[in-house]
């Protein structure tokens, strides 16, 4: 069975775009692959979170992945910092990663530009740590978005370089992997592109949002002043609301508002009210699960322990072989 690894940024809550665009795929993958999903808390240190943020965010992410349907009996779900073998592999890989190639990485350059006062070595070697995450389980499939392509390319370079250096076909090549036939894109509420956390307050609806928060966000969604001709092409902002409607509402509801729009009889307030209620309805089971799991400390503890144990079993096998290959011997 092929192995899948994916790291989840521990930077807080999931929104509908994360869920429908990525997490739902993870839930399907766990039935067909040996999956390792982890919360990348080492990576988050590159930006210096406070201890409270660090733990709180890891918990939030763990809770939401479980609520979304990741099954700890099927997939291995763990916290990166619970698996020290990853840091050991990171150390070895760092010896063969060149500063020049790391400096050329787009994500590094972006982060330097965004945070010129915090250009730490961890930031520079972020791709090495990510390669260690993947190679530690000898994974071949990595479900990530386009923005991670370059990191995956580097993981292949580091794995191949290790193989060449020690003349051994040890690490397989990991590739980006898309489980769904078609990527689902969930638009945001700002009238522009996709839903995202960094696109400003109110653009994203989080899985944990209370109904009132959802209503407020949807009512504030950007629209235009309405169609003036029959069957007018919708501007992006309005198209986005229809896309969301298509996603969460019944076909009848969708057609109803589509008809009103085409006859120039649409009232965006009515559409938004309906959309908000349908989002709330679609989201309710998940929100309830999030609240429930969040309060179940002993369950969370058990899941984290179980995950760490399974992940370490795989990771320590790799590390044992890596040490042998490099030439470490005990007396
Ligand atoms: N860099 C990834 C991101 O920003 C997170 C990540 C860390 C990751 N380690 C990984 C993803 C290993 C896949 C595999 O989204």
């Amino acid at each position: 069975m092929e192995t899948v690894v994916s790291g989840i940024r521990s930077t807080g809550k999931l929104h509908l775009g994360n869920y429908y665009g990525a997490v739902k795929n993870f839930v399907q993958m766990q039935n067909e692959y040996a999956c390792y999903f982890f919360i990348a808390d080492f990576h988050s240190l590159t930006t210096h979170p406070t201890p409270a943020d660090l733990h709180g965010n890891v918990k939030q992410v763990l809770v939401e992945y479980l609520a979304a349907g990741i099954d700890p009996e099927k997939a291995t779900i763990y916290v990166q910092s619970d698996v020290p073998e990853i840091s050991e592999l990171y150390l070895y890989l760092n010896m063969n990663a060149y500063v020049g190639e790391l400096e050329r990485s787009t994500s590094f350059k972006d982060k330097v530009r965004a945070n010129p006062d915090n250009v730490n070595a961890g930031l520079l070697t972020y791709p090495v740590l990510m390669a260690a995450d993947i190679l530690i389980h000898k994974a071949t499939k990595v479900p990530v978005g386009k923005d991670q392509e370059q990191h995956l390319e580097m993981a292949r370079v580091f794995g191949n370089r290790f193989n060449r250096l020690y003349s051994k076909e040890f690490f397989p090549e990991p590739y980006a992997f898309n489980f769904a036939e078609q990527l689902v894109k969930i638009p945001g509420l700002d009238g522009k592109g996709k839903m995202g956390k960094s696109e400003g307050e109110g653009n994203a609806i989080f899985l944990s949002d209370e109904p009132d928060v959802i209503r407020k966000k949807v009512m504030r969604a950007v629209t235009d002043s309405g169609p003036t001709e029959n069957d007018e092409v919708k501007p992006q902002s309005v198209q986005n609301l229809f896309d969301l409607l298509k996603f969460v509402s019944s076909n009848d509801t969708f057609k109803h508002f589509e008809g009103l729009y085409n006859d120039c009889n649409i009232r965006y307030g009515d559409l938004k009210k309906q959309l908000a209620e349908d989002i709330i309805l679609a989201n309710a089971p998940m929100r309830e699960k999030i609240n429930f799991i969040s309060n179940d400390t002993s369950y969370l503890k058990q899941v984290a322990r179980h995950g760490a144990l399974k992940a370490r079993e795989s990771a320590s096998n790799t590390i044992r072989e890596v040490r042998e290959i490099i030439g470490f011997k005990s007396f």
Side-chain angles (χ1 to χ4, degrees):
M1 200 193 282
E2 276 187 279
T3 299
V4 168
V5 166
S6 200
I8 301 149
R9 275 179 254 198
S10 53
T11 48
K13 311 179 279 189
L14 290 173
H15 55 66
L16 296 182
N18 298 135
Y19 176 69
Y20 290 106
V23 183
K24 239 182 130 187
N25 279 329
F26 289 9
V27 175
Q28 294 178 328
M29 270 179 245
Q30 66 184 351
N31 296 314
E32 292 182 37
Y33 297 97
C35 290
Y36 292 88
F37 300 130
F38 68 94
I39 301 159
D41 58 347
F42 281 152
H43 278 104
S44 66
L45 294 181
T46 55
T47 54
H48 302 175
T50 69
D53 292 342
L54 188 66
H55 180 70
N57 285 335
V58 168
K59 180 183 168 188
Q60 179 87 23
V61 173
L62 179 60
V63 165
E64 295 196 352
Y65 272 77
L66 293 169
I70 300 285
D71 178 350
E73 295 306 320
K74 290 181 183 165
T76 301
I77 179 158
Y78 60 100
V79 180
Q80 188 183 28
S81 62
D82 281 341
V83 182
E85 289 81 5
I86 297 168
S87 349
E88 186 172 338
L89 184 58
Y90 167 57
L91 183 151
Y92 301 143
L93 295 176
N94 265 324
M95 304 301 170
N96 307 316
Y98 300 111
V99 172
E101 66 189 336
L102 295 170
E103 280 173 339
R104 280 193 296 276
S105 129
T106 337
S107 68
F108 177 68
K109 287 194 268 186
D110 286 348
K111 283 174 188 158
V112 170
R113 225 172 287 124
N115 272 308
D117 300 333
N118 186 18
V119 184
N120 59 73
L123 207 57
L124 182 69
T125 57
Y126 183 111
V128 187
L129 180 54
M130 179 158 161
D133 293 328
I134 298 165
L135 299 175
I136 196 82
H137 302 299
K138 297 189 177 175
T140 48
K141 289 183 150 51
V142 186
V144 284
K146 255 219 138 357
D147 62 322
Q148 298 296 313
E149 282 288 358
Q150 197 178 31
H151 286 153
L152 270 187
E153 168 72 36
M154 292 170 96
R156 289 192 288 276
V157 167
F158 300 145
N160 283 330
R161 194 174 287 156
F162 181 96
N163 294 350
R164 224 176 313 115
L165 191 64
Y166 297 105
S167 309
K168 195 168 161 83
E169 275 310 306
F170 186 68
F171 291 120
E173 288 190 321
Y175 283 93
F177 171 57
N178 175 20
F179 188 81
E181 308 267 299
Q182 244 186 338
L183 280 190
V184 182
K185 246 199 228 140
I186 304 290
L189 299 174
D190 62 359
K192 296 181 198 142
K194 60 178 190 180
M195 187 173 284
K197 202 166 68 167
S198 42
E199 328 298 322
E201 197 41 42
N203 177 49
I205 292 174
F206 295 101
L207 299 184
S208 55
D209 277 349
E210 297 288 335
D212 269 352
V213 175
I214 296 179
R215 285 188 193 105
K216 254 187 218 132
K217 285 181 180 172
V218 174
M219 293 318 282
R220 285 196 196 127
V222 176
T223 51
D224 67 349
S225 51
T228 50
E229 277 170 51
N230 282 2
D231 302 317
E232 203 176 288
V233 176
K234 299 183 188 79
Q236 164 122 52
S237 60
V238 177
Q239 183 61 48
N240 286 352
L241 295 186
F242 273 91
D243 286 351
L244 285 168
L245 205 60
K246 182 134 219 174
F247 221 78
V248 294
S249 304
S250 71
N251 208 10
D252 286 349
T253 303
F254 180 80
K255 281 202 192 126
H256 169 71
F257 286 105
E258 182 90 343
L260 289 174
Y261 184 89
N262 287 335
D263 300 342
C264 302
N265 285 324
I266 190 136
R267 289 207 308 231
Y268 290 135
D270 294 344
L271 181 153
K272 286 176 172 179
K273 260 187 212 143
Q274 180 75 43
L275 177 61
E277 293 316 310
D278 288 343
I279 292 176
I280 291 165
L281 210 63
N283 214 22
M286 192 93 75
R287 192 169 44 87
E288 277 161 28
K289 276 192 208 151
I290 291 172
N291 287 337
F292 186 79
I293 297 173
S294 196
N295 291 318
D296 196 345
T297 315
S298 75
Y299 174 65
L300 287 172
K301 201 174 193 167
Q302 183 210 319
V303 167
R305 268 206 203 141
H306 180 64
L309 222 64
K310 281 205 286 178
R312 289 197 70 184
E313 194 179 306
S314 149
S316 58
N317 279 333
T318 304
I319 282 295
R320 191 177 7 84
E321 288 183 87
V322 165
R323 281 175 158 254
E324 235 169 70
I325 292 169
I326 295 178
F328 291 117
K329 279 185 193 154
S330 46
F331 284 94

